């Protein structure tokens, strides 16, 4: 074993130096002994000696630069003395070449063979020459050979391997560091997957693990000789599911107005029941049918004028039972995009705004599972990747038990008949996604069912009941792949929709007793097949183009079974295509968009959409829709924007009904324009302000009245009437928003909305009969002039989250279309006042409404899953909203009575959720 050597150079110690070969003024070279001095500037000789030697001096003394060891010459232990300690101090004469010219022993150990080994090795040492006043000189210096036995370190014959994860989420902590046995120096780090390996000696060890944002933890481990111990270290996060500022959407702003919500912004807003799409009801430009009903009235349009899309696929409805959660499990939704006006050309055939949910990308790291249960429903979500084949499978579903809760509540309150009320729903979603080369192939299926009604009692035969059933299914296959320098997408969708009225009756059973049986059904059913394609490519740094096309075939029919009859049926009446619609229709369209950025601060996006609506036999409507968006970044914080476009849509009836939008094509298309200008200002980090002013002229509207459709009140044949009207909407919207980050998010918005329709109106006489018909411009039935929303959610310490929502809106006109119609008093018989209908241009408005929502949640990080408990209450303020008035007389006095129809719609929801 080789001996380690240590040398003590002259350093700052006085010594003797021999100057060799220094020329003198008169004779041959000679040797002179001089004194070497230690000074602050280094090692030097005195000025007298320097003068005698003819050396240059600096301030009276010649500076000596000592030699430095440049090549070691280790000494080996003599045979048989391995490990014997000892120390040999030598004096070396290092010549002007840096070689060892002479070796003397100054101090020897007890074992002489160690001295011999040092003397044998010393001549092999090499130094850089010493210099005196810049001239190489020979020097004498002490040098020590120290014979020390090596420190015996036990062999690292054991190993600790494992992963570092976040407790609860199982997320690998790639920034974790490990410390062993109290050492201040890191013993190891982890890779990007959170894995690590520590080579240790057998025995007990303490492993401390630290990671930013997590509490440090120490783990006790004991390993045996040759053992490889597998471990998983879980660190407690400082905060479960923090409100992190994460850039999730790198899409540049090209639309005039697009509000995108992510993460907790779509799942933790009070009053939304944790549902992503219900958050749209709190956006600027949105009114409502009634508090809690989740169909948005966007900029004063009819609810059916707003399109609902899922990754570009149109779906008929978003919410269960109008009040319930969305038909898509929240874990399938990554982002919700809301376009209150001028939606992009790819989202076609809508006259108003658009709501698009974008599916989350499959997580390809490990198994994920979510389960929850609350007062209304329970559901689950599961996702698993097959890494070997690049396949990911996801599935979700939920089912309600609302009817059971209603029945239990009725029994507790002793309300007869209420136990027969039912309000049930279920939905499902399934996805298979496969990597194919550089592209992806995805099969996605979803479906939904709602059933609301009253079941007949079983106390006597003939008791009747009925209900409304609504169902739909979609299967979508799409593939994406690079093509011609861009990205291409091809999709194929099959759909089935149905809405029906059912009749039930209590009947005698052969085995005895009474049971409920269905005696008739009136349903609208529609099947659809659609094909679409799209291609996007960036051409240089300033231009991007996107083209696409789609074709959809719809086959709609009325299904009547048993004793069912169309609503409003009258014997001998002419057939009404909206009461008994059966139709074949084909919708086809093409669109193109160019996004041009001529400079850093300008963006232009012209677009064009062309649609053809064909209804068998032989009715075809063509719509050409040019669009333009302009954005100008005035400063780094302030952007000005504007947009305009034409829009078309088939006739609508309040909410989407299968077959109605196809059968209604015989009455032509609705047509309107949208004009929007505004500004976006990032005042400072964490505060975004925006404002929009819009004007939407409607050159042609065909908006069927709900009561007309249900009651068949229209006079004469529809085919002989022109059902079209015109109108306009205008207003402005303001929004201040703090996106996710710094433990909170929130926004406040105010909307001023005006919507008018130019229609034929009827004037009523004191006998409640129509006396004349005129034309006039009236407030639209869905107009709410002022709407204010404020939402706030804050994550406190100890993983508590509190949030609140404040909502205010003014009332809609009491026009009789979706509410009661204002009545007026006229003299009646016996001097008693009688109620008669008020003319539509003189109707009053429903009362204003104010509501406060509340949400509280607590999170826990378990070993491998997180647990959340939450309380979400819509209308914790217990405010009653007026949705109409009842006109009558007091039974006791006979006095006229106008009684508000109002309910405090309160949805308290307590639930628990586990996420693995």
């Amino acid at each position: 074993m080789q001996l380690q050597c240590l040398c003590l150079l002259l350093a700052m110690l006085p010594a003797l130096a021999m100057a060799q070969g220094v020329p003198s003024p008169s004779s041959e070279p000679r040797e002179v002994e001089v004194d070497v001095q230690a000074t602050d500037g280094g090692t030097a000789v005195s000025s007298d000696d320097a003068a005698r030697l003819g050396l240059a001096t600096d301030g009276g003394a010649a500076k000596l630069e000592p030699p430095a060891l440049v090549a070691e010459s280790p000494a080996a232990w003599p045979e048989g003395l391995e490990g014997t300690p000892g120390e040999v101090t030598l004096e070396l004469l290092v010549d002007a070449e840096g070689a060892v010219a002479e070796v003397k022993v100054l101090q020897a150990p007890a074992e002489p063979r160690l001295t011999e080994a040092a003397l044998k090795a010393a001549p092999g040492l090499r130094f850089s020459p010493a210099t005196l006043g810049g001239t190489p000189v020979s020097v004498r210096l002490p040098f020590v050979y120290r014979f020390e036995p090596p420190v015996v370190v036990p062999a690292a014959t054991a190993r600790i391997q494992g992963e570092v994860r976040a407790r609860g989420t199982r997320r690998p902590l790639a920034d974790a560091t490990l410390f062993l046995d109290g050492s201040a120096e890191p013993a190891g780090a982890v890779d990007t997957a959170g894995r690590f390996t520590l080579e240790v000696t057998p025995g007990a060890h303490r492993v401390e693990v630290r990671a930013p944002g997590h509490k440090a933890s120490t783990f006790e481990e004991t390993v045996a000789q040759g053992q490889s111990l597998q471990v998983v270290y879980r660190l407690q996060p400082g905060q479960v599911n923090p409100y992190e500022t994460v850039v999730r959407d790198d899409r540049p702003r090209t639309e005039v107005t697009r509000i995108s919500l992510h993460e907790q912004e779509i799942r933790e807003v009070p009053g939304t029941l944790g549902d992503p799409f219900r958050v749209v009801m709190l956006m600027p430009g949105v009114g409502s049918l009634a508090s809690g009903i989740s169909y948005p009235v966007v900029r004063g349009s009819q609810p059916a004028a707003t399109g609902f899309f899922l990754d570009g696929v149109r779906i008929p409805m978003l919410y269960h039972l109008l009040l319930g959660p969305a038909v898509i499990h929240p874990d399938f939704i990554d982002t919700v995009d809301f376009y209150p006006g001028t939606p992009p050309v790819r989202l076609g055939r809508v006259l108003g705004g658009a709501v698009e949910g974008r599916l989350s990308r499959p997580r390809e790291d490990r198994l994920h599972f979510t389960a929850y249960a609350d007062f209304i429903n329970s559901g689950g979500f599961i996702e698993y990747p097959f890494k070997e084949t690049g396949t990911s499978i996801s599935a979700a579903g939920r089912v309600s038990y609302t009817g059971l809760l209603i029945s239990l509540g009725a029994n507790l309150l002793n309300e007869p008949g209420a136990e027969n009320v039912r309000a049930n729903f279920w939905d499902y979603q399934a996805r298979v996604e496969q990597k194919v080369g550089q592209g992806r192939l995805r099969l996605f299926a979803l479906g939904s069912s709602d059933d609301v009604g009253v079941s007949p009692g079983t106390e006597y035969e003939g008791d009747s009941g009925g209900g409304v059933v609504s169902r739909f299914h979609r299967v979508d296959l799409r593939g994406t792949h690079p093509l011609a320098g861009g990205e291409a997408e091809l999709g194929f969708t099959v759909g089935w929709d149905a809405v029906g009225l059912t009749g039930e009756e209590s009947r005698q059973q052969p085995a005895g007793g009474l049971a409920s049986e269905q005696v008739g059904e009136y349903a609208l059913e529609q099947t659809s097949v659609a094909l679409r394609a799209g291609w996007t490519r960036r051409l240089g740094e300033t231009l991007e183009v996107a083209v696409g096309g789609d074709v959809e075939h719809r086959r709609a029919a009325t299904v009547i079974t048993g004793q069912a009859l169309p609503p409003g049926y009258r014997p001998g009446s002419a057939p009404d295509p909206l009461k008994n619609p059966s139709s074949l229709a084909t919708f086809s369209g093409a669109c193109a968009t160019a996004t041009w950025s001529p400079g850093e601060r300008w963006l232009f996006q012209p677009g064009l959409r062309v649609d053809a609506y064909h209804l068998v036999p032989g009715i075809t409507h063509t719509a050409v829709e040019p669009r333009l968006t302009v954005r100008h970044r005035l400063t780094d914080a302030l952007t000005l924007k504007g947009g305009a476009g034409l829009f078309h849509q088939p006739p609508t009836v309040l909410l989407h009904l299968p077959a109605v939008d196809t059968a209604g094509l015989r009455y032509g298309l609705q047509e309107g324009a949208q004009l929007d200008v505004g500004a976006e200002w990032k005042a400072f980090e964490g505060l975004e302000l925006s404002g929009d002013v819009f004007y939407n002229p409607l050159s042609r509207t065909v908006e069927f009245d709900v009561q007309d459709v249900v009651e068949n009140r229209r006079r004469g044949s529809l085919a002989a009437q022109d059902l079209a009207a015109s109108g306009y909407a205008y207003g402005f919207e303001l929004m201040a928003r703090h996106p996710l980050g710094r433990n909170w998010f929130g926004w406040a918005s105010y909307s001023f909305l005006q919507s008018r329709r130019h229609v034929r109106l009827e004037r009523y006489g004191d006998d409640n009969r129509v006396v004349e018909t005129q034309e006039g411009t009236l407030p639209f039935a869905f107009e709410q002039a002022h709407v204010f929303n404020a939402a706030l959610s804050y994550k406190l310490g100890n993983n508590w989250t509190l949030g609140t929502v404040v909502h205010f809106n003014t009332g809609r006109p009491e026009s009789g279309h979706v509410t009661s119609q204002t009545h007026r008093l006229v003299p009646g018989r016996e001097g008693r006042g009688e109620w008669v209908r008020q003319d539509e241009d003189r109707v009053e408005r429903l009362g204003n409404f104010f509501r406060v929502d509340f949400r509280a949640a607590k999170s826990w990080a378990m070993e491998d899953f997180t647990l959340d408990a939450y309380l979400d209450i819509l209308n914790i303020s217990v405010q009653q909203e007026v949705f109409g008035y009842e006109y009558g007389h007091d039974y006791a006095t006979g006095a006229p009575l106008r009684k508000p129809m109002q309910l405090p719609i309160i949805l308290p929801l307590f639930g628990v959720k586990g996420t693995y």
Side-chain angles (χ1 to χ4, degrees):
M1 185 173 182
Q2 293 296 317
L3 176 71
Q4 298 295 322
C5 65
L6 298 176
C7 71
L8 297 179
L9 295 178
L10 183 61
M12 305 301 291
L13 299 177
L16 294 177
M18 296 290 295
Q20 296 182 346
V22 179
S24 69
S26 58
S27 62
E28 304 265 337
R30 57 192 180 91
E31 296 182 358
V32 181
E33 290 186 356
V34 297
D35 292 329
V36 178
Q37 302 172 346
T39 69
D40 291 342
T43 307
V45 299
S46 66
S47 56
D48 294 339
D49 288 335
R52 286 190 295 110
L53 295 173
L55 301 175
T57 62
D58 182 11
K63 187 175 182 180
L64 174 68
E65 293 291 342
L69 183 65
V70 295
E72 297 182 355
S73 179
W77 266 302
E79 185 176 355
L81 296 181
E82 291 84 353
T84 302
E87 189 173 280
V88 180
T89 303
L90 305 177
E91 182 183 81
L92 305 180
L93 175 61
V94 180
D95 62 21
E97 305 296 330
V100 177
E102 181 182 322
V103 180
K104 293 181 180 179
V105 177
L106 297 182
Q107 185 175 353
E111 174 55 58
R113 283 181 292 177
L114 295 180
T115 303
E116 294 176 5
L119 291 173
K120 183 177 180 181
L125 296 169
R126 289 295 181 270
F127 298 84
S128 60
T131 60
L132 184 64
T135 302
V137 296
S138 299
V139 295
R140 294 183 182 273
L141 55 88
F143 194 90
V144 178
Y145 273 99
R146 186 172 293 123
F147 293 82
E148 291 181 339
V151 177
V152 179
V153 179
T157 57
R159 179 177 297 168
I160 301 177
Q161 292 179 305
E163 300 177 43
V164 180
R165 303 175 184 168
R167 184 182 175 93
T169 63
R170 299 174 296 138
R171 180 173 62 88
L173 298 180
D175 50 1
T177 306
L178 297 94
F179 299 84
L180 194 62
D181 298 326
S183 173
E185 296 296 325
V190 301
D191 61 16
T192 56
R195 294 185 293 262
F196 69 90
T197 299
L198 294 178
E199 302 288 345
V200 298
T201 59
H205 295 278
R206 288 185 300 108
V207 182
E208 183 183 4
V209 187
R210 306 174 190 169
H214 294 73
K215 298 178 181 178
S217 296
T218 300
F219 304 89
E220 303 284 344
E221 308 291 359
T222 301
V223 290
Q225 176 100 10
Q227 181 184 9
S228 181
L229 182 65
Q230 298 291 328
V231 298
V232 176
Y233 293 147
R234 301 172 178 85
L235 299 188
Q236 179 73 31
Q239 202 170 64
V240 179
N241 299 325
Y243 288 170
E244 297 177 327
T245 303
V246 180
V247 178
R248 304 242 351 163
D249 190 351
D250 294 330
R251 293 179 299 160
R253 286 282 180 180
T254 57
E255 304 83 5
V256 181
T257 303
R258 184 192 81 214
I259 302 174
S260 297
L261 303 171
H262 312 277
E263 300 290 348
Q264 293 96 334
E265 289 179 312
I266 58 176
R267 294 184 178 88
E268 296 186 8
V269 178
T272 63
L273 312 182
D275 189 270
F277 289 104
R278 289 177 65 97
V279 182
V280 174
M281 301 304 299
L282 302 173
M283 293 291 100
V286 175
S288 62
L289 295 172
S291 180
I293 294 182
S294 300
Y295 277 86
V297 178
V298 179
R299 291 185 173 177
S301 62
Q302 199 176 42
T306 296
F308 304 130
F309 298 86
L310 191 62
D311 273 3
V313 175
R314 186 82 175 259
I315 57 177
M317 63 183 64
L318 273 181
Y319 309 98
H320 289 292
L321 308 177
L322 295 184
L323 288 171
V327 297
I328 303 167
H329 194 285
D331 287 358
F332 260 116
I333 302 300
D334 174 76
T335 302
V336 172
D337 289 334
F338 173 54
Y339 304 91
T342 58
V345 293
R346 62 182 179 83
L347 305 178
R349 306 183 187 114
V350 294
L351 191 64
V355 178
E356 183 178 26
R358 288 191 279 140
L359 293 184
S360 58
R361 281 188 172 273
R363 289 167 288 188
E364 300 174 348
D365 52 349
R366 57 189 184 273
L367 171 69
H368 293 268
F369 179 79
T370 298
Y372 78 92
D374 55 41
F375 287 161
I376 297 177
N377 68 126
S378 58
F381 171 87
I382 188 169
E383 185 174 64
Y384 186 76
F386 295 89
K387 298 182 180 180
E388 300 80 7
T389 61
T391 308
S392 177
I393 296 179
S394 310
R398 49 190 167 187
V399 61
S400 77
Y401 28 79
T402 313
L404 176 61
L405 294 179
I406 292 175
S407 179
L408 293 175
N411 292 332
L412 291 175
L413 299 174
N414 196 24
E415 291 286 343
E419 67 273 9
N420 297 331
V421 176
R422 66 179 186 272
N424 302 312
F425 64 82
W426 52 259
D427 62 58
Y428 70 89
Q429 303 88 43
R431 175 179 62 190
V432 180
E433 188 156 334
Q434 175 68 49
K435 293 180 179 179
V436 181
Q438 301 179 37
R440 285 179 175 266
L441 189 66
R442 187 186 79 187
L443 179 66
F444 182 67
L446 72 157
S448 168
S449 173
D450 292 349
D451 182 6
V452 183
V454 178
S455 301
T458 56
E459 297 179 0
Y460 60 91
E461 189 173 5
D463 191 12
S464 63
V468 179
V469 177
S470 172
R471 295 188 177 96
F472 81 87
H473 302 274
R474 291 289 186 276
V475 178
D476 179 61
L477 176 65
R478 72 174 61 193
T480 57
H481 200 277
L483 177 67
E487 182 79 10
E489 177 181 276
L490 184 65
F492 177 73
T493 306
V494 177
W496 180 81
D497 306 342
V499 174
L501 303 176
T502 61
E504 300 176 44
E505 192 173 283
S506 181
R507 292 185 173 182
Q508 189 73 32
Q509 300 298 301
L514 298 175
S516 173
E517 290 186 1
Q518 184 170 309
V519 297
E521 179 184 13
Y522 169 79
L524 303 177
E525 293 186 355
Q526 178 176 279
T527 59
S528 61
V529 179
L531 181 68
R532 68 188 179 281
W535 180 73
T536 303
R537 181 180 177 182
R538 176 165 287 280
L539 303 174
E541 295 295 327
T542 63
L543 181 63
E544 181 180 85
V545 295
V547 295
D550 69 285
V551 58
E552 180 181 5
H553 179 72
R554 300 182 186 178
R555 180 181 295 267
T558 305
V559 178
I560 303 177
T561 62
Q563 304 172 14
L565 294 173
Y569 172 79
R570 297 176 182 176
S573 62
D576 186 335
L578 294 180
K579 300 301 180 60
N580 193 5
S582 296
S583 58
L584 296 176
T586 300
F587 298 170
S588 56
C591 62
T593 302
T595 304
W596 179 44
S597 301
E600 293 184 358
R601 298 187 178 275
W602 284 97
L603 182 144
F604 297 89
Q605 188 182 67
L608 178 67
R609 182 177 183 90
V610 179
D611 283 290
Y613 303 78
H614 178 72
L615 177 66
V616 176
I619 298 177
T620 300
H621 304 286
T622 302
V624 179
E625 302 177 350
R627 316 271 179 90
L628 175 64
T629 298
V630 179
R631 296 177 66 89
H632 175 54
R633 190 156 55 90
L634 196 61
T635 68
D636 291 341
L638 179 61
T639 299
L640 305 180
K641 57 185 182 177
L646 294 180
F647 299 83
H648 296 80
Q649 185 174 1
T652 51
V653 181
L654 184 60
L655 305 177
H656 171 81
L657 292 176
V660 171
D661 52 356
T662 54
L665 282 175
R666 67 194 64 196
Y667 305 113
L669 295 177
Q670 302 186 88
E671 180 178 351
Q674 296 187 17
L675 310 173
D676 194 329
V677 294
E680 297 169 354
W681 180 35
K682 292 186 177 181
F684 50 81
E685 184 68 27
L687 179 61
E688 301 173 359
L689 304 176
S690 63
D692 288 85
V693 178
F694 68 91
Y695 175 66
N696 298 343
L698 303 171
S699 56
R700 191 173 193 273
T701 64
V702 187
E703 299 160 320
F704 295 120
D705 184 274
V706 177
Q707 294 185 8
D708 282 348
V709 172
V710 174
E711 300 175 4
N712 196 20
R713 291 190 333 203
R714 289 188 299 272
R715 298 164 179 80
S717 170
L718 283 173
Q721 297 184 29
D722 182 8
L723 302 179
S726 61
Y728 57 88
Y730 65 92
F732 65 87
E733 303 153 0
L734 303 174
M735 185 177 187
R737 179 184 178 191
H738 180 280
L740 279 173
R742 300 180 182 177
N743 293 325
W744 70 286
F745 71 86
W747 63 82
S749 68
Y750 167 74
S751 304
F752 173 72
L753 307 171
Q754 296 287 290
S755 184
R756 301 286 190 269
R757 295 294 184 273
H758 186 76
V759 297
R760 287 185 298 272
L761 58 94
E762 298 170 336
R763 302 230 177 255
Y764 297 92
D766 291 349
D767 58 355
N768 215 25
R769 294 182 181 180
V770 177
V771 295
E772 65 174 323
T773 300
Q774 298 179 345
E775 291 188 356
T777 300
L778 307 177
F780 191 40
F782 300 97
E783 181 190 85
Q784 291 175 322
H786 305 279
V787 181
F788 173 80
N789 291 294
L792 173 66
S793 184
Y794 194 89
K795 193 170 284 292
L796 305 172
N798 201 25
N799 294 314
W800 276 96
T801 304
L802 296 178
T804 187
V805 161
V806 176
H807 169 83
F808 170 82
N809 66 259
T810 53
R812 299 189 307 276
E814 192 193 358
S815 60
H817 295 284
V818 290
T819 66
S820 61
Q821 183 170 346
T822 303
H823 283 50
R824 59 188 175 88
L825 275 174
V826 298
R829 292 172 299 177
E830 301 176 357
R832 189 176 74 163
E834 296 293 338
W835 293 106
V836 298
R837 280 180 288 185
Q838 180 65 280
D839 298 339
E840 288 187 67
D841 58 345
R842 300 171 183 172
V843 298
E844 299 180 8
R845 288 182 176 265
L846 303 179
N848 300 337
F849 178 68
F850 170 80
R851 183 188 85 230
V852 177
D853 306 330
F854 173 78
R855 187 179 190 274
K858 169 68 174 172
S859 301
W860 295 270
M862 305 300 182
E863 285 292 315
D864 284 323
F865 71 96
T866 59
L867 181 65
D868 297 274
Y870 51 89
L871 176 65
D872 196 335
I873 304 176
L874 174 76
N875 194 14
I876 195 174
S877 52
V878 197
Q879 297 295 305
Q880 299 191 63
E881 184 172 17
V882 176
F883 55 89
Y885 290 92
E886 183 179 355
Y887 297 88
H889 296 82
D890 185 86
Y891 288 106
T893 65
L897 184 66
R898 182 177 186 250
K899 181 180 179 181
M901 295 182 288
Q902 57 187 358
L903 282 175
I905 299 179
I906 306 171
L907 293 179
L909 193 71
F910 176 78
V912 293
K913 177 182 178 182
T915 303
Y916 174 77

